[in-house]
Amino acid sequence: MIYLDGEIFFTSIENIVRRLKIEEGVFKDLKVNNKDVMVTCPFHKGGMENKPSMGISKDEVKRNGKKYPAGTVHCYSCGYTANLTKLIADVKEVDRFKAWRYLIEKFSGGSNSERNLTINVERSENQENKEKYIDIDKVQAYNKNKCSASINYLKRRKINKVRDKFLIGYNEDHESITIPVLNRSGKVVMIKERSIEGKRFFNSTGSNKAGVIFGLYQVEKDYKGEKIWVCESEIDALTLWGWGIKAIAIMGSHISDLQAKELEKSPIRDLIDGMDRDDAGRKGWRKMKDKLIPKGFKMWNTEWKEIFNNWNDQEKLKDLNQLTYQEFQQIIKY
């Protein structure tokens, strides 16, 4: 028996995830350890990674003095974080209400399931939409830490020029760079971290990125009607800013409904495809166009043919941060 969003389910997290794999084809592979059900992440590498990198907690866990409920989801490669309901909504490309109904119909044994359905979904949405701000002093403290290892990493990733503009810093405890994410009002909603060695990601506790777009605050501060590049990762967006080109990042391969609404509130109406060139990025761009074109946005496609022709190993070319500025200038927009 487990609790999810206040509802009793007479099953286990492992059983739910296994059925998602077998019946829905959501995950390529699945492994179980003492604490988590590990699955192949459906949000990067087109869901075709070789080793499972996404963990779904089997029971409530306590970390750093805080409790995380059963079904807490985190990908240790791309940083995707959610609860089980949100994961199902994202992979099935439905809203949270339909994802919750799926769980209720498949697994709930409670007699009040239908009566509680709307109440629980509304409660979850309210919790998800409630922004938790982070003290700017914490962000500035990270920004002041200019250790040589972090500076060298930023130079290697071509983003050292915009370090102070975006208050990028360094967390010694995690040995990672810190990238604060601001909402349209300039409040720090979350801090994303990436290790300078290896590929480990950390998100600030209690963070929620569903309705936030990285770089949108900075774009709007000095917007002059330009076409704006839209990317998956903050690193890609920062690369473009380093070249003097305004960009935003949706922090994943698929734009959420809340992010789409944030864009509608902004003055931006022209977006250029800077999404990754893998299957997930291509699908994400198509879905983004489906959402935004009916809202009056003009979406500019991009062609990387000339760049691909000059790369020795085309399969390794995926995102903007891999390009030199000269290669970037070869991208065709139409």
Side-chain angles (χ1 to χ4, degrees):
M1 183 178 72
I2 56 173
Y3 289 89
L4 293 175
D5 289 336
E7 180 73 24
I8 298 174
F9 290 83
F10 292 95
T11 185
S12 65
I13 294 295
E14 181 179 345
N15 184 41
I16 293 174
V17 177
R18 284 192 183 279
R19 288 186 63 173
L20 282 170
K21 177 182 183 295
I22 296 169
E23 297 178 8
E24 306 291 336
V26 170
F27 310 114
K28 174 189 170 188
D29 197 9
L30 177 153
K31 294 182 179 179
V32 181
N33 60 33
N34 291 335
K35 295 182 179 180
D36 297 315
V37 181
M38 298 297 299
V39 295
T40 44
C41 178
F43 302 114
H44 67 271
K45 293 188 177 180
M48 299 302 292
E49 63 180 358
N50 293 322
K51 184 178 179 181
S53 64
M54 175 180 280
I56 305 172
S57 60
K58 296 194 293 185
D59 301 292
E60 181 182 85
V61 295
K62 190 173 183 180
R63 295 192 186 102
N64 300 322
K66 291 202 172 186
K67 292 182 179 180
Y68 296 87
T72 297
V73 182
H74 180 71
C75 177
Y76 295 93
S77 290
C78 71
Y80 175 89
T81 303
N83 63 16
L84 193 57
T85 308
K86 181 67 166 59
L87 172 66
I88 292 170
D90 287 344
V91 296
K92 291 173 72 67
E93 297 183 0
V94 298
D95 59 33
R96 286 178 62 90
F97 183 86
K98 290 180 180 177
W100 183 248
R101 182 178 290 278
Y102 170 86
L103 283 171
I104 290 289
E105 292 176 349
K106 292 280 187 180
F107 303 104
S108 178
S111 59
N112 294 324
S113 296
E114 289 299 320
R115 180 171 60 83
N116 291 335
L117 180 59
T118 302
I119 296 173
N120 284 323
V121 170
E122 287 177 350
R123 182 189 302 141
S124 297
E125 292 289 353
N126 289 336
Q127 290 172 347
E128 184 170 308
N129 293 338
K130 185 178 179 181
E131 292 181 334
K132 177 182 177 181
Y133 301 136
I134 295 172
D135 192 338
I136 191 65
D137 291 340
K138 181 177 182 179
V139 174
Q140 291 173 338
Y142 286 146
N143 178 247
K144 290 177 181 177
N145 191 339
K146 294 180 170 62
C147 80
S148 59
S150 68
I151 296 298
N152 289 336
Y153 176 87
L154 296 176
K155 287 180 178 177
R156 191 166 68 249
R157 299 306 298 266
K158 313 182 189 83
I159 58 177
N160 192 48
K161 291 181 180 178
V162 293
R163 184 185 187 280
D164 290 334
K165 182 180 183 66
F166 284 85
L167 292 174
I168 299 170
Y170 180 68
N171 183 342
E172 291 182 345
D173 293 336
H174 293 162
E175 296 183 340
S176 62
I177 61 164
T178 59
I179 304 175
V181 180
L182 281 58
N183 64 11
R184 292 181 63 237
S185 301
K187 300 286 188 180
V188 182
V189 177
M190 63 186 293
I191 299 175
K192 300 198 74 176
E193 300 184 34
R194 178 172 178 144
S195 61
I196 59 176
E197 297 292 339
K199 197 175 182 181
R200 291 176 293 120
F201 298 87
F202 310 91
N203 286 348
S204 51
T205 303
S207 61
N208 168 45
K209 68 180 183 182
V212 185
I213 298 174
F214 177 80
L216 185 57
Y217 170 74
Q218 287 83 355
V219 167
E220 289 195 74
K221 279 181 66 178
D222 188 33
Y223 184 66
K224 297 182 175 66
E226 310 98 316
K227 299 180 182 71
I228 303 300
W229 285 77
V230 57
C231 312
E232 291 186 31
S233 77
E234 311 82 51
I235 297 292
D236 289 339
L238 290 168
T239 299
L240 293 178
W241 278 94
W243 291 334
I245 300 163
K246 293 174 183 174
I248 57 176
I250 60 173
M251 300 181 287
S253 59
H254 287 70
I255 190 169
S256 71
D257 289 339
L258 291 175
Q259 287 176 320
K261 289 178 182 177
E262 285 296 282
L263 276 176
E264 286 183 60
K265 296 174 187 175
S266 80
I268 300 168
R269 285 300 176 269
D270 285 74
L271 293 172
I272 304 174
D273 174 18
M275 303 286 282
D276 289 359
R277 311 321 282 183
D278 56 13
D279 291 341
R282 299 299 82 219
K283 183 178 180 181
W285 175 245
R286 291 193 296 271
K287 293 290 185 182
M288 193 185 307
K289 290 198 293 184
D290 290 343
K291 282 187 179 182
L292 296 180
I293 289 176
K295 302 295 184 180
F297 285 80
K298 187 170 184 180
M299 312 294 282
W300 296 78
N301 299 314
T302 53
E303 176 59 65
W304 292 33
K305 184 177 180 180
E306 290 299 320
I307 304 170
F308 275 116
N309 288 341
N310 294 327
W311 267 64
N312 293 327
D313 190 348
Q314 295 183 9
E315 292 184 0
K316 290 185 178 180
L317 177 56
K318 187 183 78 168
D319 56 50
L320 288 167
N321 184 252
Q322 294 174 276
L323 305 180
T324 64
Y325 180 62
Q326 289 71 29
E327 288 172 328
F328 170 75
Q329 289 179 307
Q330 297 177 45
I331 292 177
I332 300 171
K333 299 180 285 293
Y334 62 95

